[in-house]
Amino acid sequence: MNIKKSILTCLLMLGFVSASAQQQQQDEPFYDFNPHWYVQVQPLGGQYTLGELPFGDMFSYNAQLALGYQFDEVLGARLSVNAWQSKGGSDYGALGKWDWKWKYVAPSLDLTADLSTLFCGFNPNRLFTLNLFLGIGANIGFDNDEAAAAKNQIDPIHQWNALYYRTDNAPMSLLWDGTKTRLVGRAGLGADFRLSDAVSLGLEVNANTLSDGYNSKEAKNNDWYFNALLGLKINLGNAYTVYPAGSQFTPRRSLLRKAPRVIEKEVIKEKEVEKIVEKKVYVDKPIYIEKPLEPLRRDIFFTINSSRIDPSEDKKLDEIASYLKLYPQTKVSVTGYADKGTGNAQINKRLGERRARVVADRLVKQYRVDRSQIVVDSKGDTEQPFAENDKNRVSICIAE
């Protein structure tokens, strides 16, 4: 009897803990990923070209610039351009040591994966993010004059060594001049340290492999060089949207992350049966099931004769977009106006139309609002919603 009571007590405690955890989760805001562009500027870089000389003799500087697009929580792609110089060298002991350098430009197309999100879930406030990338591109080498000068000095020494010491040191039989283009494969890791929503400090290391002869020497295997780069990653546009606690929706899923288990309920002969199924459906946008409590109105003001949205009005657009996504069954009416004290009726009609249209376009393009939720209208100067003349340079947005 005591055992049964103990088991029952434990089950009740577990239920309480589970309910508390669920309530805590509902009380937290939701972060929804937004596809976005970004740039990476990495001016501080170093390169080690694999060779027979010590590390210090084969070290050189390099830099990288990249433009990328993050498709979903995990997957992205970027076009990067790595450039500066590489080094080569030969060591003949007491007879001498030679090293040379040449310049290169290496554009590459990389596929990226956010490992932190893949294994730990999407969190835009995460301080540290680890990324993996694989790429393929071209290495365009040029200005190889130092290698040609070194070959002129090495050839006699190599011939003497081969004759008397039977050494296996290969001469510079693959010397190239002018411009030489080779296919290059690359892989690496990037660590981003969040500074703000838009900017992070990034450290990247990568390994690059290309055909034999990159350093003008024949080794009968691929040549390698390794880069370490430090710079900034800057997001272009909003990387995520925050929705208030208590919102219920199905978040967007990454192609690399498994969809969650969904519990469906069906009634058979007045008896409720729970059936656990796997739903591998990727939702294009959040689906919300709450009903709005009251309409939302926001007035987007413009300067005289202008249809450009001032950055000070962006917060109002954020609130409109969040409302429409939270309640997808609602629509927003965007009505453009112009002040009667400026221009004439025909000019003001067109100006009101432009002001309404630019608000609608911003909601669709930047905030990914469904265009079917937007109704656009213009009153020009036929109606003046405000007593103060200057305030009638406005687009009035009413969502309900």
mmCIF file with all atom_site columns, all heavy atoms in Angstrom, residues 350-366:
data_model
loop_
_atom_site.group_PDB
_atom_site.id
_atom_site.type_symbol
_atom_site.label_atom_id
_atom_site.label_alt_id
_atom_site.label_comp_id
_atom_site.label_asym_id
_atom_site.label_entity_id
_atom_site.label_seq_id
_atom_site.pdbx_PDB_ins_code
_atom_site.Cartn_x
_atom_site.Cartn_y
_atom_site.Cartn_z
_atom_site.occupancy
_atom_site.B_iso_or_equiv
_atom_site.pdbx_formal_charge
_atom_site.auth_seq_id
_atom_site.auth_comp_id
_atom_site.auth_asym_id
_atom_site.auth_atom_id
_atom_site.pdbx_PDB_model_num
ATOM 1   N N   . ARG A 1 350 ? -1.560 61.584 -56.849 1.00 0.00 ? 350 ARG A N   1
ATOM 2   C CA  . ARG A 1 350 ? -0.453 60.669 -57.163 1.00 0.00 ? 350 ARG A CA  1
ATOM 3   C C   . ARG A 1 350 ? 0.478  60.508 -55.967 1.00 0.00 ? 350 ARG A C   1
ATOM 4   O O   . ARG A 1 350 ? 0.979  59.417 -55.696 1.00 0.00 ? 350 ARG A O   1
ATOM 5   C CB  . ARG A 1 350 ? 0.328  61.175 -58.375 1.00 0.00 ? 350 ARG A CB  1
ATOM 6   C CG  . ARG A 1 350 ? -0.447 61.087 -59.682 1.00 0.00 ? 350 ARG A CG  1
ATOM 7   C CD  . ARG A 1 350 ? 0.492  61.206 -60.872 1.00 0.00 ? 350 ARG A CD  1
ATOM 8   N NE  . ARG A 1 350 ? 1.205  62.479 -60.892 1.00 0.00 ? 350 ARG A NE  1
ATOM 9   C CZ  . ARG A 1 350 ? 0.778  63.571 -61.530 1.00 0.00 ? 350 ARG A CZ  1
ATOM 10  N NH1 . ARG A 1 350 ? -0.375 63.532 -62.203 1.00 0.00 ? 350 ARG A NH1 1
ATOM 11  N NH2 . ARG A 1 350 ? 1.476  64.680 -61.494 1.00 0.00 ? 350 ARG A NH2 1
ATOM 12  N N   . LEU A 1 351 ? 0.710  61.610 -55.228 1.00 0.00 ? 351 LEU A N   1
ATOM 13  C CA  . LEU A 1 351 ? 1.599  61.538 -54.068 1.00 0.00 ? 351 LEU A CA  1
ATOM 14  C C   . LEU A 1 351 ? 1.002  60.642 -52.984 1.00 0.00 ? 351 LEU A C   1
ATOM 15  O O   . LEU A 1 351 ? 1.700  59.837 -52.364 1.00 0.00 ? 351 LEU A O   1
ATOM 16  C CB  . LEU A 1 351 ? 1.851  62.942 -53.524 1.00 0.00 ? 351 LEU A CB  1
ATOM 17  C CG  . LEU A 1 351 ? 2.829  63.062 -52.345 1.00 0.00 ? 351 LEU A CG  1
ATOM 18  C CD1 . LEU A 1 351 ? 4.183  62.459 -52.712 1.00 0.00 ? 351 LEU A CD1 1
ATOM 19  C CD2 . LEU A 1 351 ? 2.984  64.524 -51.923 1.00 0.00 ? 351 LEU A CD2 1
ATOM 20  N N   . GLY A 1 352 ? -0.324 60.743 -52.769 1.00 0.00 ? 352 GLY A N   1
ATOM 21  C CA  . GLY A 1 352 ? -0.978 59.872 -51.798 1.00 0.00 ? 352 GLY A CA  1
ATOM 22  C C   . GLY A 1 352 ? -0.883 58.413 -52.198 1.00 0.00 ? 352 GLY A C   1
ATOM 23  O O   . GLY A 1 352 ? -0.677 57.527 -51.350 1.00 0.00 ? 352 GLY A O   1
ATOM 24  N N   . GLU A 1 353 ? -1.022 58.136 -53.505 1.00 0.00 ? 353 GLU A N   1
ATOM 25  C CA  . GLU A 1 353 ? -0.902 56.758 -53.982 1.00 0.00 ? 353 GLU A CA  1
ATOM 26  C C   . GLU A 1 353 ? 0.497  56.206 -53.740 1.00 0.00 ? 353 GLU A C   1
ATOM 27  O O   . GLU A 1 353 ? 0.670  55.062 -53.312 1.00 0.00 ? 353 GLU A O   1
ATOM 28  C CB  . GLU A 1 353 ? -1.237 56.698 -55.477 1.00 0.00 ? 353 GLU A CB  1
ATOM 29  C CG  . GLU A 1 353 ? -2.711 56.954 -55.782 1.00 0.00 ? 353 GLU A CG  1
ATOM 30  C CD  . GLU A 1 353 ? -2.979 57.053 -57.277 1.00 0.00 ? 353 GLU A CD  1
ATOM 31  O OE1 . GLU A 1 353 ? -1.993 57.104 -58.048 1.00 0.00 ? 353 GLU A OE1 1
ATOM 32  O OE2 . GLU A 1 353 ? -4.158 57.085 -57.674 1.00 0.00 ? 353 GLU A OE2 1
ATOM 33  N N   . ARG A 1 354 ? 1.515  57.037 -54.019 1.00 0.00 ? 354 ARG A N   1
ATOM 34  C CA  . ARG A 1 354 ? 2.893  56.580 -53.807 1.00 0.00 ? 354 ARG A CA  1
ATOM 35  C C   . ARG A 1 354 ? 3.158  56.304 -52.329 1.00 0.00 ? 354 ARG A C   1
ATOM 36  O O   . ARG A 1 354 ? 3.835  55.343 -51.975 1.00 0.00 ? 354 ARG A O   1
ATOM 37  C CB  . ARG A 1 354 ? 3.896  57.611 -54.337 1.00 0.00 ? 354 ARG A CB  1
ATOM 38  C CG  . ARG A 1 354 ? 3.941  57.699 -55.849 1.00 0.00 ? 354 ARG A CG  1
ATOM 39  C CD  . ARG A 1 354 ? 5.258  58.326 -56.332 1.00 0.00 ? 354 ARG A CD  1
ATOM 40  N NE  . ARG A 1 354 ? 5.494  59.642 -55.756 1.00 0.00 ? 354 ARG A NE  1
ATOM 41  C CZ  . ARG A 1 354 ? 5.060  60.784 -56.281 1.00 0.00 ? 354 ARG A CZ  1
ATOM 42  N NH1 . ARG A 1 354 ? 4.330  60.766 -57.394 1.00 0.00 ? 354 ARG A NH1 1
ATOM 43  N NH2 . ARG A 1 354 ? 5.350  61.943 -55.707 1.00 0.00 ? 354 ARG A NH2 1
ATOM 44  N N   . ARG A 1 355 ? 2.634  57.159 -51.465 1.00 0.00 ? 355 ARG A N   1
ATOM 45  C CA  . ARG A 1 355 ? 2.862  56.963 -50.030 1.00 0.00 ? 355 ARG A CA  1
ATOM 46  C C   . ARG A 1 355 ? 2.207  55.686 -49.526 1.00 0.00 ? 355 ARG A C   1
ATOM 47  O O   . ARG A 1 355 ? 2.753  54.979 -48.678 1.00 0.00 ? 355 ARG A O   1
ATOM 48  C CB  . ARG A 1 355 ? 2.335  58.175 -49.266 1.00 0.00 ? 355 ARG A CB  1
ATOM 49  C CG  . ARG A 1 355 ? 3.250  59.399 -49.405 1.00 0.00 ? 355 ARG A CG  1
ATOM 50  C CD  . ARG A 1 355 ? 2.625  60.663 -48.848 1.00 0.00 ? 355 ARG A CD  1
ATOM 51  N NE  . ARG A 1 355 ? 3.575  61.774 -48.888 1.00 0.00 ? 355 ARG A NE  1
ATOM 52  C CZ  . ARG A 1 355 ? 3.265  63.044 -48.668 1.00 0.00 ? 355 ARG A CZ  1
ATOM 53  N NH1 . ARG A 1 355 ? 1.997  63.385 -48.404 1.00 0.00 ? 355 ARG A NH1 1
ATOM 54  N NH2 . ARG A 1 355 ? 4.191  63.982 -48.722 1.00 0.00 ? 355 ARG A NH2 1
ATOM 55  N N   . ALA A 1 356 ? 1.027  55.383 -50.026 1.00 0.00 ? 356 ALA A N   1
ATOM 56  C CA  . ALA A 1 356 ? 0.379  54.132 -49.630 1.00 0.00 ? 356 ALA A CA  1
ATOM 57  C C   . ALA A 1 356 ? 1.120  52.930 -50.192 1.00 0.00 ? 356 ALA A C   1
ATOM 58  O O   . ALA A 1 356 ? 1.313  51.915 -49.505 1.00 0.00 ? 356 ALA A O   1
ATOM 59  C CB  . ALA A 1 356 ? -1.081 54.136 -50.091 1.00 0.00 ? 356 ALA A CB  1
ATOM 60  N N   . ARG A 1 357 ? 1.552  53.042 -51.462 1.00 0.00 ? 357 ARG A N   1
ATOM 61  C CA  . ARG A 1 357 ? 2.214  51.911 -52.109 1.00 0.00 ? 357 ARG A CA  1
ATOM 62  C C   . ARG A 1 357 ? 3.561  51.597 -51.469 1.00 0.00 ? 357 ARG A C   1
ATOM 63  O O   . ARG A 1 357 ? 3.929  50.427 -51.309 1.00 0.00 ? 357 ARG A O   1
ATOM 64  C CB  . ARG A 1 357 ? 2.402  52.225 -53.594 1.00 0.00 ? 357 ARG A CB  1
ATOM 65  C CG  . ARG A 1 357 ? 3.044  51.096 -54.412 1.00 0.00 ? 357 ARG A CG  1
ATOM 66  C CD  . ARG A 1 357 ? 2.218  49.845 -54.375 1.00 0.00 ? 357 ARG A CD  1
ATOM 67  N NE  . ARG A 1 357 ? 0.863  50.055 -54.897 1.00 0.00 ? 357 ARG A NE  1
ATOM 68  C CZ  . ARG A 1 357 ? -0.088 49.159 -54.810 1.00 0.00 ? 357 ARG A CZ  1
ATOM 69  N NH1 . ARG A 1 357 ? 0.144  47.995 -54.196 1.00 0.00 ? 357 ARG A NH1 1
ATOM 70  N NH2 . ARG A 1 357 ? -1.279 49.411 -55.305 1.00 0.00 ? 357 ARG A NH2 1
ATOM 71  N N   . VAL A 1 358 ? 4.320  52.625 -51.074 1.00 0.00 ? 358 VAL A N   1
ATOM 72  C CA  . VAL A 1 358 ? 5.649  52.361 -50.508 1.00 0.00 ? 358 VAL A CA  1
ATOM 73  C C   . VAL A 1 358 ? 5.523  51.678 -49.149 1.00 0.00 ? 358 VAL A C   1
ATOM 74  O O   . VAL A 1 358 ? 6.353  50.831 -48.793 1.00 0.00 ? 358 VAL A O   1
ATOM 75  C CB  . VAL A 1 358 ? 6.457  53.681 -50.398 1.00 0.00 ? 358 VAL A CB  1
ATOM 76  C CG1 . VAL A 1 358 ? 5.953  54.564 -49.273 1.00 0.00 ? 358 VAL A CG1 1
ATOM 77  C CG2 . VAL A 1 358 ? 7.940  53.381 -50.206 1.00 0.00 ? 358 VAL A CG2 1
ATOM 78  N N   . VAL A 1 359 ? 4.473  51.980 -48.385 1.00 0.00 ? 359 VAL A N   1
ATOM 79  C CA  . VAL A 1 359 ? 4.248  51.287 -47.116 1.00 0.00 ? 359 VAL A CA  1
ATOM 80  C C   . VAL A 1 359 ? 3.896  49.824 -47.371 1.00 0.00 ? 359 VAL A C   1
ATOM 81  O O   . VAL A 1 359 ? 4.422  48.908 -46.730 1.00 0.00 ? 359 VAL A O   1
ATOM 82  C CB  . VAL A 1 359 ? 3.129  51.978 -46.313 1.00 0.00 ? 359 VAL A CB  1
ATOM 83  C CG1 . VAL A 1 359 ? 2.748  51.143 -45.092 1.00 0.00 ? 359 VAL A CG1 1
ATOM 84  C CG2 . VAL A 1 359 ? 3.577  53.357 -45.876 1.00 0.00 ? 359 VAL A CG2 1
ATOM 85  N N   . ALA A 1 360 ? 2.996  49.581 -48.346 1.00 0.00 ? 360 ALA A N   1
ATOM 86  C CA  . ALA A 1 360 ? 2.613  48.205 -48.666 1.00 0.00 ? 360 ALA A CA  1
ATOM 87  C C   . ALA A 1 360 ? 3.805  47.395 -49.156 1.00 0.00 ? 360 ALA A C   1
ATOM 88  O O   . ALA A 1 360 ? 4.008  46.249 -48.752 1.00 0.00 ? 360 ALA A O   1
ATOM 89  C CB  . ALA A 1 360 ? 1.497  48.213 -49.715 1.00 0.00 ? 360 ALA A CB  1
ATOM 90  N N   . ASP A 1 361 ? 4.615  47.995 -50.031 1.00 0.00 ? 361 ASP A N   1
ATOM 91  C CA  . ASP A 1 361 ? 5.786  47.273 -50.564 1.00 0.00 ? 361 ASP A CA  1
ATOM 92  C C   . ASP A 1 361 ? 6.778  46.948 -49.463 1.00 0.00 ? 361 ASP A C   1
ATOM 93  O O   . ASP A 1 361 ? 7.381  45.876 -49.462 1.00 0.00 ? 361 ASP A O   1
ATOM 94  C CB  . ASP A 1 361 ? 6.465  48.114 -51.654 1.00 0.00 ? 361 ASP A CB  1
ATOM 95  C CG  . ASP A 1 361 ? 5.633  48.183 -52.928 1.00 0.00 ? 361 ASP A CG  1
ATOM 96  O OD1 . ASP A 1 361 ? 4.697  47.369 -53.069 1.00 0.00 ? 361 ASP A OD1 1
ATOM 97  O OD2 . ASP A 1 361 ? 5.904  49.059 -53.766 1.00 0.00 ? 361 ASP A OD2 1
ATOM 98  N N   . ARG A 1 362 ? 6.961  47.880 -48.510 1.00 0.00 ? 362 ARG A N   1
ATOM 99  C CA  . ARG A 1 362 ? 7.894  47.610 -47.420 1.00 0.00 ? 362 ARG A CA  1
ATOM 100 C C   . ARG A 1 362 ? 7.404  46.448 -46.556 1.00 0.00 ? 362 ARG A C   1
ATOM 101 O O   . ARG A 1 362 ? 8.185  45.581 -46.138 1.00 0.00 ? 362 ARG A O   1
ATOM 102 C CB  . ARG A 1 362 ? 8.051  48.860 -46.555 1.00 0.00 ? 362 ARG A CB  1
ATOM 103 C CG  . ARG A 1 362 ? 8.938  48.685 -45.333 1.00 0.00 ? 362 ARG A CG  1
ATOM 104 C CD  . ARG A 1 362 ? 10.414 48.604 -45.701 1.00 0.00 ? 362 ARG A CD  1
ATOM 105 N NE  . ARG A 1 362 ? 10.923 49.861 -46.146 1.00 0.00 ? 362 ARG A NE  1
ATOM 106 C CZ  . ARG A 1 362 ? 11.354 50.843 -45.337 1.00 0.00 ? 362 ARG A CZ  1
ATOM 107 N NH1 . ARG A 1 362 ? 11.361 50.653 -44.019 1.00 0.00 ? 362 ARG A NH1 1
ATOM 108 N NH2 . ARG A 1 362 ? 11.809 51.963 -45.822 1.00 0.00 ? 362 ARG A NH2 1
ATOM 109 N N   . LEU A 1 363 ? 6.105  46.397 -46.291 1.00 0.00 ? 363 LEU A N   1
ATOM 110 C CA  . LEU A 1 363 ? 5.558  45.298 -45.488 1.00 0.00 ? 363 LEU A CA  1
ATOM 111 C C   . LEU A 1 363 ? 5.754  43.950 -46.176 1.00 0.00 ? 363 LEU A C   1
ATOM 112 O O   . LEU A 1 363 ? 6.051  42.942 -45.534 1.00 0.00 ? 363 LEU A O   1
ATOM 113 C CB  . LEU A 1 363 ? 4.063  45.535 -45.231 1.00 0.00 ? 363 LEU A CB  1
ATOM 114 C CG  . LEU A 1 363 ? 3.720  46.676 -44.273 1.00 0.00 ? 363 LEU A CG  1
ATOM 115 C CD1 . LEU A 1 363 ? 2.217  46.913 -44.254 1.00 0.00 ? 363 LEU A CD1 1
ATOM 116 C CD2 . LEU A 1 363 ? 4.221  46.391 -42.858 1.00 0.00 ? 363 LEU A CD2 1
ATOM 117 N N   . VAL A 1 364 ? 5.638  43.927 -47.508 1.00 0.00 ? 364 VAL A N   1
ATOM 118 C CA  . VAL A 1 364 ? 5.764  42.673 -48.250 1.00 0.00 ? 364 VAL A CA  1
ATOM 119 C C   . VAL A 1 364 ? 7.221  42.262 -48.389 1.00 0.00 ? 364 VAL A C   1
ATOM 120 O O   . VAL A 1 364 ? 7.601  41.123 -48.109 1.00 0.00 ? 364 VAL A O   1
ATOM 121 C CB  . VAL A 1 364 ? 5.104  42.797 -49.636 1.00 0.00 ? 364 VAL A CB  1
ATOM 122 C CG1 . VAL A 1 364 ? 5.410  41.562 -50.485 1.00 0.00 ? 364 VAL A CG1 1
ATOM 123 C CG2 . VAL A 1 364 ? 3.598  42.972 -49.490 1.00 0.00 ? 364 VAL A CG2 1
ATOM 124 N N   . LYS A 1 365 ? 8.082  43.193 -48.811 1.00 0.00 ? 365 LYS A N   1
ATOM 125 C CA  . LYS A 1 365 ? 9.466  42.843 -49.155 1.00 0.00 ? 365 LYS A CA  1
ATOM 126 C C   . LYS A 1 365 ? 10.344 42.672 -47.923 1.00 0.00 ? 365 LYS A C   1
ATOM 127 O O   . LYS A 1 365 ? 11.143 41.744 -47.849 1.00 0.00 ? 365 LYS A O   1
ATOM 128 C CB  . LYS A 1 365 ? 10.046 43.910 -50.082 1.00 0.00 ? 365 LYS A CB  1
ATOM 129 C CG  . LYS A 1 365 ? 9.359  43.961 -51.435 1.00 0.00 ? 365 LYS A CG  1
ATOM 130 C CD  . LYS A 1 365 ? 9.945  45.079 -52.312 1.00 0.00 ? 365 LYS A CD  1
ATOM 131 C CE  . LYS A 1 365 ? 9.244  45.155 -53.664 1.00 0.00 ? 365 LYS A CE  1
ATOM 132 N NZ  . LYS A 1 365 ? 9.755  46.252 -54.502 1.00 0.00 ? 365 LYS A NZ  1
ATOM 133 N N   . GLN A 1 366 ? 10.220 43.595 -46.973 1.00 0.00 ? 366 GLN A N   1
ATOM 134 C CA  . GLN A 1 366 ? 11.117 43.532 -45.816 1.00 0.00 ? 366 GLN A CA  1
ATOM 135 C C   . GLN A 1 366 ? 10.566 42.658 -44.694 1.00 0.00 ? 366 GLN A C   1
ATOM 136 O O   . GLN A 1 366 ? 11.315 41.921 -44.049 1.00 0.00 ? 366 GLN A O   1
ATOM 137 C CB  . GLN A 1 366 ? 11.376 44.938 -45.277 1.00 0.00 ? 366 GLN A CB  1
ATOM 138 C CG  . GLN A 1 366 ? 12.315 44.951 -44.068 1.00 0.00 ? 366 GLN A CG  1
ATOM 139 C CD  . GLN A 1 366 ? 12.732 46.348 -43.674 1.00 0.00 ? 366 GLN A CD  1
ATOM 140 O OE1 . GLN A 1 366 ? 12.711 47.257 -44.483 1.00 0.00 ? 366 GLN A OE1 1
ATOM 141 N NE2 . GLN A 1 366 ? 13.096 46.538 -42.415 1.00 0.00 ? 366 GLN A NE2 1
#
